[in-house]
Amino acid sequence: MIVNKLQEVIKNEKIDALLLTGLENPVAAKNLQYITNYSGSYGFSIIGENFKYFVSDFRYRQQAKNEAPEFTFVEIDGSLIDALNSIVKKEKIKLLGFDQKIRYSEFSMYQDLDCELIPTRNLVESLRVSKTKDEVKLIKKACEITDQALTYVLDFVKPGVKERDLEILLKNKMIELGADSTWPRFIVASGERGSMPHGMASDKLLKEGELVTFDIGCFYKGYSSDMTRTVAIGEIDTQLKQIYDIVLEAQKRGVQAAIAGITGKELDSVCRDYISGAGYGEYFKHGTGHGLGLDVHESPRVSQANDKPLELGACVTIEPGIYISGLGGVRIEDDVILTEDGCIVLNEFPKELITLKHYL
């Protein structure tokens, strides 16, 4: 069990127990969900080497018992601090670890606990990097939904359609296909807006001769997908076709080089060096990829800032791009699982340039 791995980590830390909380912090909430399997909106956990408690109020009593049955449930009957303190006193906790990324307002509240608070960093995130077989299945399903949704929406990609309308169609289709939810906003960037790496869907109307970049994803049983594809509306400018081919080759090389043990910097360099060698290095400024799982962006990073080996079983994105102001941009992205022999690509949507002419 994952919680047992965390208990082994706690044993080697200078703390008696670790406090997990999803209050006011979406990253911390994902850690709580990962360790406890609890998917509610209000919950806390205190875990030590030989004990594990889940704390919430009457609204989530049954849900917590169903989703986290191996945890001792403590119901809040009064204040949260009183409930947490009951565990601190029972287990004689002197040093209580907490994630240092929690908000100051929450930290201030926990200072009323009858123990010393010890900041910790990435204790749970480090466990989340290498995915289990069950996690891979869930991410793969999220990718399948994303693939199918984009395939469906391509029939609506034509001159005169708003980027925002395509975003709505994509979201609705993903839910119809079984997604729990979608990202709050999708990147749908057409024409010159394609030069904006994070060009969220707008009221701009699509035009013939433009590229359209879709950066989209959904959540399936808590796990996310993240796919980017760029398609053409009719015939496009020669330079746009050139940069598409360069990005495609860079992305393919990244996928071919992806393997457990390569550093994030080395994998980033595979894509970056190819784009630079083709004369477009100044137009590729972001990292080649990032970790993916319960969060859309999590460890590890595939960038020049990460000189550590990528772990076996890690799920990372490979998404090089070229963005030229006044012209447009291209990004192509896959989600991959790193293995001893290479990687498993979870997306099946085609990467070769799709030129849409169905509207003619």
Side-chain angles (χ1 to χ4, degrees), residues 29-79:
K30 295 294 186 180
N31 286 339
L32 180 68
Q33 179 183 357
Y34 181 72
I35 295 299
T36 68
N37 195 44
Y38 173 75
S39 61
S41 59
Y42 187 73
F44 309 82
S45 182
I46 293 181
I47 301 168
E49 182 181 343
N50 300 307
F51 56 83
K52 44 187 181 290
Y53 292 88
F54 193 90
V55 180
S56 191
D57 61 32
F58 74 96
R59 296 172 298 171
Y60 301 99
R61 180 194 305 128
Q62 195 58 52
Q63 182 177 356
K65 290 182 177 181
N66 290 343
E67 295 181 340
E70 69 274 23
F71 286 72
T72 301
F73 181 74
V74 175
E75 186 168 324
I76 300 170
D77 184 16
S79 76

Side-chain angles (χ1 to χ4, degrees), residues 199-251:
M200 300 300 177
S202 72
D203 289 329
K204 179 187 175 299
L205 302 180
L206 306 188
K207 298 178 182 178
E208 187 168 357
E210 292 183 332
L211 289 176
V212 187
T213 296
F214 296 90
D215 190 343
I216 58 178
C218 67
F219 290 93
Y220 180 77
K221 295 187 178 180
Y223 284 81
S224 181
S225 58
D226 185 0
M227 181 180 74
T228 306
R229 291 293 187 269
T230 303
V231 302
I233 304 177
E235 297 303 321
I236 57 174
D237 177 270
T238 301
Q239 188 178 12
L240 288 176
K241 180 61 168 64
Q242 180 187 48
I243 65 173
Y244 189 96
D245 291 341
I246 292 169
V247 171
L248 177 60
E249 179 61 25
Q251 203 273 344

Side-chain angles (χ1 to χ4, degrees), residues 146-257:
T146 304
D147 288 344
Q148 293 168 21
L150 185 55
T151 299
Y152 167 78
V153 165
L154 285 188
D155 285 340
F156 301 89
V157 178
K158 56 187 176 182
V161 174
K162 287 183 182 179
E163 295 173 346
R164 197 180 301 276
D165 289 341
L166 296 177
E167 176 186 37
I168 293 169
L169 286 169
L170 282 162
K171 288 183 175 182
N172 289 342
K173 191 62 177 179
M174 287 177 179
I175 297 300
E176 180 184 321
L177 290 168
D180 300 331
S181 61
T182 69
W183 301 352
R185 293 296 308 277
F186 286 168
I187 294 170
V188 182
S190 61
E192 293 184 8
R193 293 190 73 251
S195 66
M196 302 165 60
H198 280 189
M200 300 300 177
S202 72
D203 289 329
K204 179 187 175 299
L205 302 180
L206 306 188
K207 298 178 182 178
E208 187 168 357
E210 292 183 332
L211 289 176
V212 187
T213 296
F214 296 90
D215 190 343
I216 58 178
C218 67
F219 290 93
Y220 180 77
K221 295 187 178 180
Y223 284 81
S224 181
S225 58
D226 185 0
M227 181 180 74
T228 306
R229 291 293 187 269
T230 303
V231 302
I233 304 177
E235 297 303 321
I236 57 174
D237 177 270
T238 301
Q239 188 178 12
L240 288 176
K241 180 61 168 64
Q242 180 187 48
I243 65 173
Y244 189 96
D245 291 341
I246 292 169
V247 171
L248 177 60
E249 179 61 25
Q251 203 273 344
K252 287 181 175 179
R253 290 184 180 214
V255 170
Q256 187 175 17

Side-chain angles (χ1 to χ4, degrees), residues 101-118:
K101 292 190 291 295
I102 67 172
R103 295 183 180 181
Y104 181 75
S105 59
E106 190 175 358
F107 171 74
S108 298
M109 178 178 64
Y110 296 141
Q111 287 185 309
D112 290 334
L113 291 172
D114 297 329
C115 59
E116 183 179 351
L117 297 175
I118 306 297

